[in-house]
Amino acid sequence: GYIKRAVSLTEEVLGDREVEAYVRSWNLLPATGGVYEVTVNGELIFSKKGLGRHAEPGEVKAAIVSRLEAIRNGAN
């Protein structure tokens, strides 16, 4: 029942050309049990199960942008 939310998140992130340039792959994997996780280069960026809530609009994109800025600035 969360297809619209997943598609919206995909449009939000991949609709930003600057962010899209850093995305090497984008996978949506259907699962059960409340699992909804976003990883960037193997690093967990957002976990619905871990936080016990859905992401707010813009929250995942902001987390991705923040991580990409840290990478650009030499932080690991």
Side-chain angles (χ1 to χ4, degrees):
Y2 295 106
I3 291 172
K4 288 181 183 178
R5 195 180 295 249
V7 169
S8 176
L9 174 62
T10 300
E11 290 174 340
E12 180 180 314
V13 172
L14 298 183
D16 182 324
R17 290 294 204 190
E18 189 173 338
V19 173
E20 181 188 18
Y22 287 94
V23 175
R24 290 193 176 100
S25 68
W26 186 266
N27 300 307
L28 297 175
L29 305 173
T32 59
V35 176
Y36 183 89
E37 296 184 332
V38 177
T39 60
V40 172
N41 298 330
E43 180 182 345
L44 184 63
I45 298 294
F46 180 86
S47 172
K48 175 190 170 275
K49 190 171 184 178
L51 293 173
R53 64 174 178 79
H54 284 285
E56 296 295 325
E59 182 177 7
V60 171
K61 180 181 173 187
I64 292 170
V65 168
S66 177
R67 182 63 190 133
L68 293 175
E69 287 174 354
I71 290 169
R72 277 189 240 158
N73 293 327
N76 290 326

